[in-house]
């Protein structure tokens, strides 16, 4: 095994490595964001002089090196450290430790001064690789003097701008950094990943014709993204009766059928408008490419709203039917992105309801025309109307409970940190409202505190899929309201982004949402947030139980194999 790894290092890795010394005449090397690197201390035996060398491991190299016929994967940094002397002939290598830096991604766009937002974003993201370091991850065995050297250099790498980086920003890892590379382990071990979901709309009739008969709720990846969202837009592009297509795009993907459909629709004389958010973090360059390509094809491309991110997931199709224009809307919780639709759990609602579709059209007009004053009766729209609408519903449930009438709030979110919402939930719980939350990530609400939040429960679902859907359920005095949408209950979503929740009223769709919330809140593999702020798994590891995600994947697989002719 060692001989194989040594040969692999010599033939495949060593030619790609460049040692960069930090010494007189050699400024401290630039370490790219998220790049895995080695901090090496070498000594010249002739002079006993010591100095620091950084070796960045190229992203083109695989994260793990397999041992032939052994079923063993060895981390790249371990292979390099074991053979590091070959990189430094003639000197002694005293220490070598892996480390990684995270740089700030907080770009400040001068939107009020920019005549062309696309060019302004391009100029700003060109500086992103050189933004200050905000976190340093180091191997646990790295000695204090090497850590201090790294901190010192990263604090002053901006020249006259000294960063606030300190020891509190240093995080140790025990055995492995850059955990994103674990995807290679799944590939090497042939771990099955979720497959394309089942068909939502039967063949033989267009999506628009089927949506006209009633609202349709889709749940990815258990339902097919290609056979629902992509088919919706592709058919609209090819339908002679369709006159208008509008879409918001936040994160995009080249494999998707969406871009060709939009270009095809524009080439056929349809009015196609795309609100493409250039400020989607880390996707700016990709979105700029899409913006230029779509604009060249005749698509009306709008780059966003000044000082706000457009995070809403919307599509609208207008078709001429019997001499009148009919609108068809889609409101989702996830991006128009084929890759994430296969790995994230997301929801989407297709609707031809005249009020809902009309309000989606009104929001598009606000976004593309920068007009204001449109009133929304059914949609909850941030940043102006969503927070007041949420607080109003929480207060209504609170009043029901105070009057002795049944009241309950359930929500599924990615994050909860808006203090006004948290305070309203505490007051509702103290009044007697039962509150059940599924929160995947950050949660600033503390449940289970006697007299404060003892009627609140918070769980988190971790599994083979990334939970990304948002569901709201307000129950009071015998009535129920369900919504799905793009917003978490975080200040950035409610106050600084354009977000949308759409009401779900179709009985079968409501039943599906109710069942999903009930199952996830009772998931035996869920993590439960305690009053001490610690998360604890409901069922200990090793217990033979299945989580909701596994059950849903199995159910979708059974349905797919039961009707192979209807697969997506």
């Amino acid at each position: 095994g060692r001989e194989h790894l040594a040969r692999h290092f010599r033939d495949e890795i060593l030619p790609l490595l460049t040692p960069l010394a930090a010494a007189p005449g050699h400024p401290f090397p630039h370490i790219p964001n998220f790049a895995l690197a080695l901090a090496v201390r070498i000594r010249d035996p002739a002079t006993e002089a010591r100095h620091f060398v950084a070796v960045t491991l190229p992203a083109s190299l695989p994260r793990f090196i397999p041992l032939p016929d052994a079923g063993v994967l060895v981390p790249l940094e371990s292979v390099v450290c074991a053979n590091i002397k070959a990189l430094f002939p003639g000197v002694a290598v005293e220490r070598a430790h892996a480390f990684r830096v995270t740089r700030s991604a907080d770009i400040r766009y001068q939107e009020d001064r920019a005549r062309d937002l696309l060019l302004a974003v391009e100029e700003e993201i060109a500086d992103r690789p050189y933004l200050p370091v905000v976190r340093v991850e180091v191997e646990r065995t790295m000695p204090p003097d090497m850590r201090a050297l790294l901190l010192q250099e990263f604090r002053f790498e901006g020249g006259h701008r000294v960063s606030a980086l300190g020891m509190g920003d240093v995080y140790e890892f025990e055995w492995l950094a850059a955990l994103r590379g674990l995807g290679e382990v799944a590939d090497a071990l042939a771990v099955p990943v979720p497959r394309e979901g089942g068909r939502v709309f039967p063949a033989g009739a267009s999506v628009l014709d089927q949506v006209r008969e009633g609202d349709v709720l889709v749940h990815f990846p258990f339902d097919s993204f290609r056979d629902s969202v992509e088919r919706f837009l592709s058919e609209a592009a090819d339908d002679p009766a369709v006159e208008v297509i509008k879409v918001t795009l936040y994160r995009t993907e080249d494999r998707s059928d969406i871009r060709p459909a939009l270009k095809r629709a524009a080439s056929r004389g349809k009015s196609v408008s795309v609100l493409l958010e250039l400020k989607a973090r880390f996707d700016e360059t990709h979105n700029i490419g899409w913006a230029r390509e779509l604009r060249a094809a005749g698509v009306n491309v709008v780059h966003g709203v000044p000082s706000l991110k457009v995070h809403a997931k919307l599509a609208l199709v207008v078709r001429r039917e019997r001499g009148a224009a009919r609108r068809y809307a889609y409101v989702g919780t996830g991006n128009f992105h084929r890759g994430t639709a296969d790995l994230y759990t997301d929801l989407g609602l297709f609707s031809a309801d005249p009020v809902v579709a009309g309000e989606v059209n009104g929001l598009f007009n606000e976004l593309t025309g920068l007009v204001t004053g449109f009133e929304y009766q059914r949609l909850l729209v941030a940043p102006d109307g969503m927070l007041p609408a949420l607080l109003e519903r929480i207060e209504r449930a609170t009043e029901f409970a105070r009057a002795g009438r049944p009241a309950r709030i359930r929500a599924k979110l990615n994050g909860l940190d808006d203090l006004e919402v948290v305070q309203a939930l505490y007051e509702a719980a103290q009044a007697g409202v039962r509150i059940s939350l599924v929160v995947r990530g950050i949660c600033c609400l503390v449940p289970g505190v006697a007299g404060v939040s003892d009627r609140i429960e918070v769980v988190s679902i971790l599994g083979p899929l990334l939970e990304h859907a948002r569901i709201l359920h307000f129950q009071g005095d015998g009535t129920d309201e369900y919504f799905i949408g793009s917003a978490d209950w975080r200040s950035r979503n409610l106050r600084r982004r354009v977000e949308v929740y759409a009401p779900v009223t179709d009985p079968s769709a409501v039943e599906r949402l109710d069942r999903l919330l009930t199952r996830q809140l009772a998931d035996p593999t869920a993590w439960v947030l305690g009053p001490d702020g610690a998360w604890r798994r409901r069922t200990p590891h090793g217990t033979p139980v299945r989580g909701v995600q596994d059950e849903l994947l199995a159910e979708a697989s059974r349905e797919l194999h039961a009707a192979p002719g209807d697969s997506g």
Side-chain angles (χ1 to χ4, degrees):
R2 289 183 180 274
E3 293 180 0
H4 168 79
L5 292 175
R7 286 194 304 271
H8 183 85
F9 174 82
R10 183 185 64 244
D11 298 338
E12 304 293 337
I13 300 176
L14 182 59
L16 303 181
L17 300 182
T18 302
L20 296 172
H26 293 262
F28 194 85
H30 175 78
I31 307 299
N33 188 38
F34 291 148
L36 187 59
L38 297 180
V40 184
R41 188 163 63 204
I42 63 175
R43 175 176 54 84
D44 186 337
T47 65
E48 293 298 315
R50 292 178 171 85
H51 62 266
F52 174 93
V53 180
V55 181
T56 300
L57 304 185
S60 60
L61 290 171
R63 184 68 184 81
F64 298 94
I65 312 301
L67 287 178
D69 305 320
V72 175
L73 298 173
V74 182
L76 173 64
E77 64 271 27
S78 297
V79 175
V80 176
C81 284
N83 297 275
I84 194 70
K85 291 183 179 180
L87 190 61
F88 299 97
V91 299
V93 177
E94 294 187 336
R95 307 195 71 99
H97 299 278
F99 74 97
R100 195 173 75 140
V101 301
T102 302
R103 294 185 177 273
S104 172
D106 189 14
I107 293 176
R108 304 299 177 92
Y109 303 104
Q110 300 294 326
E111 298 178 57
D112 54 338
R113 303 177 186 175
R115 297 184 63 183
D116 188 324
L117 182 59
L118 187 148
L119 293 177
V121 171
E122 278 191 313
E123 292 175 358
E124 292 293 334
I125 62 175
D127 293 333
R128 175 172 280 162
Y130 308 101
L131 291 177
V133 172
V134 295
R135 178 175 62 183
V136 182
E137 298 168 78
V138 300
E139 199 173 351
R140 186 180 295 274
T141 55
M142 181 183 288
D145 62 326
M146 293 186 78
R147 300 183 188 200
L149 173 65
L150 290 175
L151 279 180
Q152 178 77 359
E153 295 295 342
F154 291 137
R155 286 190 68 211
F156 288 93
E157 70 173 355
H160 63 281
R161 300 189 310 273
V162 180
S163 77
L165 193 70
M167 288 304 299
D169 302 308
V170 177
Y171 297 83
E172 296 178 340
F173 56 87
E174 182 70 44
W175 64 280
L176 188 67
L179 295 178
R180 183 176 297 178
L182 289 175
E184 294 182 23
V185 178
D187 294 338
L189 299 178
V191 176
V193 295
R195 45 91 193 118
E196 167 70 3
R199 170 161 285 174
V200 179
F201 297 101
S206 75
V207 171
L208 298 184
D209 290 337
Q210 295 177 67
V211 172
R212 188 172 60 246
E213 301 301 318
D215 291 357
V216 177
L217 182 76
V218 289
H219 189 194
F220 309 124
F222 318 104
D223 296 325
S224 170
F225 180 79
R226 296 166 183 79
D227 187 62
S228 55
V229 174
E230 290 190 4
R231 182 178 162 192
F232 172 66
L233 293 172
S234 292
E235 289 183 356
D238 298 331
D239 187 337
V242 168
E243 299 179 357
V244 176
I245 300 175
K246 302 180 181 182
V247 186
T248 62
L249 295 177
Y250 189 78
R251 300 201 188 277
T252 55
E253 186 191 40
D254 291 335
R255 294 182 303 156
S256 171
D257 292 337
I258 292 175
R259 179 172 53 178
L262 297 174
K263 293 167 64 177
R264 195 165 65 247
S267 71
R268 294 175 177 174
K270 304 181 191 301
S271 173
V272 183
S273 299
V274 172
L275 198 145
L276 203 158
E277 180 53 75
L278 296 180
K279 295 168 288 183
R281 185 171 291 187
F282 304 122
D283 274 353
E284 297 96 340
T285 300
H286 196 230
N287 287 2
I288 286 170
W290 268 54
R292 288 190 166 130
E293 183 175 338
L294 291 173
R295 184 177 289 171
V299 175
N300 301 311
V301 180
V302 178
H303 298 319
V305 177
S307 75
L308 298 174
K309 278 188 179 181
V310 179
H311 194 246
K313 323 300 185 185
L314 305 172
L316 183 78
V317 170
V318 183
R319 181 165 64 171
R320 181 71 55 182
E321 298 176 2
R322 299 179 181 178
R326 177 146 194 171
R327 302 184 182 107
Y328 297 82
Y330 172 82
V331 180
T333 69
N335 297 302
F336 292 90
H337 192 292
R338 179 183 291 186
T340 57
D342 288 342
L343 295 173
Y344 294 10
T345 69
D346 269 308
L347 294 159
L349 180 71
F350 292 91
S351 180
D353 179 281
V355 177
V356 170
E359 292 187 4
V360 169
N361 186 66
L363 179 55
F364 269 113
N365 289 343
E366 283 198 280
L367 296 176
T368 59
L370 295 181
V371 297
T372 57
F374 191 89
E375 295 185 2
Y376 300 95
Q377 303 299 320
R378 303 281 297 282
L379 299 183
L380 310 185
V381 180
D384 295 327
M386 182 178 289
L387 180 59
L390 295 177
L391 295 174
E392 177 186 345
R393 283 164 172 80
I394 296 172
E395 176 61 26
R396 188 186 308 158
T398 303
E399 293 302 321
F400 283 143
R402 285 176 179 153
R405 289 182 274 180
R408 188 177 186 189
I409 296 172
R410 295 188 297 175
K412 175 178 169 55
L413 307 160
N414 295 326
L416 168 58
D417 69 7
D418 188 86
L419 297 183
E420 194 170 359
V421 173
V422 170
Q423 183 61 38
L425 292 174
Y426 283 153
E427 293 175 3
Q430 292 163 29
V433 180
R434 288 186 302 140
I435 301 172
S436 301
L437 307 174
V438 182
V439 185
R440 189 196 79 218
I442 184 172
C443 182
C444 293
L445 180 148
V446 181
V449 178
V452 178
S453 58
D454 43 6
R455 291 186 177 87
I456 304 178
E457 62 173 330
V458 179
V459 304
S460 183
I461 307 295
L462 300 177
L465 306 169
L466 184 139
E467 291 291 338
H468 195 254
R470 291 92 165 181
I471 308 171
L472 310 182
H473 175 211
F474 299 97
Q475 183 184 66
D477 201 28
T479 63
D480 293 271
E481 275 190 302
Y482 283 88
F483 295 87
I484 68 164
S486 58
D488 295 312
W489 286 357
R490 302 189 63 181
S491 292
R492 68 179 189 182
N493 299 90
L494 300 175
R495 302 168 188 271
R496 299 189 298 276
R497 291 185 175 183
V498 177
E499 307 270 14
V500 171
Y501 280 117
V504 179
T505 57
D506 177 82
S508 63
V510 166
E511 181 182 358
R512 193 174 188 184
L513 294 180
D514 174 68
R515 187 167 62 250
L516 178 60
L517 283 172
T518 300
R519 293 175 70 176
Q520 289 208 328
L521 287 165
D523 190 330
T525 67
W527 293 78
V528 181
L529 184 59
D532 58 353
W535 292 92
R536 296 175 178 85
R537 199 167 187 262
R538 181 174 279 156
T539 305
H541 284 289
T543 305
V545 295
R546 300 178 74 187
V548 172
Q549 286 190 2
D550 293 315
E551 292 176 351
L552 290 171
L553 286 168
E555 291 167 9
S557 180
R558 284 196 297 269
E559 293 177 4
L560 190 69
H561 288 96
D566 289 335
S567 63

